[in-house]
């Protein structure tokens, strides 16, 4: 949404405000500590640039469970092993021009953290 610009008079330049986009950054990881570190780094960089930030919104953790038999051949007592993988997810919304996002997201991302960036008009 750009501002209305009146026709410029002689000797004056037109000032065009850059369009503000809502940038949604989705972070997913199995390790909470790495995920929170990346979230805090992103938010700190956005606040240094004086951008409007919403988040991090903590989404519910996905618990992926698998139960397998301990014995490979099926004989013996019926004992089971259960394995569980927790997937944590965070959402961060930034309101800024799309050029600034590249500067903000150029941080060193921890291992195991996936970043997805979507740009929408505000």
């Amino acid at each position: 949404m750009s501002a209305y610009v009146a026709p410029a008079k002689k000797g004056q330049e037109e000032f065009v405000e850059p369009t503000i986009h809502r940038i949604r950054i989705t972070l997913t990881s199995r390790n909470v500590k790495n995920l929170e570190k990346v979230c805090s780094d992103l938010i700190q960089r956005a606040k240094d640039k004086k951008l409007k930030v919403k988040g991090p919104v903590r989404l519910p953790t996905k618990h992926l469970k698998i139960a397998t038999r301990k014995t490979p051949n099926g004989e013996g007592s019926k004992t089971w092993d259960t394995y569980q993988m927790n997937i944590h997810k965070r959402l961060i919304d930034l309101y800024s021009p799309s050029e600034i996002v590249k500067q903000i997201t150029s941080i060193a991302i921890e291992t195991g953290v996936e970043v997805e960036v979507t740009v929408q008009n505000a």
Side-chain angles (χ1 to χ4, degrees), residues 13-58:
E13 294 184 20
E14 292 182 17
F15 174 72
V16 178
E17 214 176 281
T19 58
I20 301 293
H21 298 286
R22 184 184 80 179
I23 292 101
R24 176 163 282 177
I25 301 172
T26 306
L27 304 165
T28 54
S29 177
R30 291 182 285 153
N31 189 345
V32 180
K33 189 181 272 188
N34 290 348
L35 184 65
E36 290 295 335
K37 185 176 184 311
V38 172
C39 279
S40 63
D41 289 347
L42 280 172
I43 291 171
Q44 187 61 42
R45 281 187 162 225
K47 287 184 178 179
D48 290 344
K49 301 243 184 232
K50 295 186 169 70
L51 299 177
K52 184 178 174 186
V53 179
K54 285 190 179 178
V57 177
R58 289 163 178 85

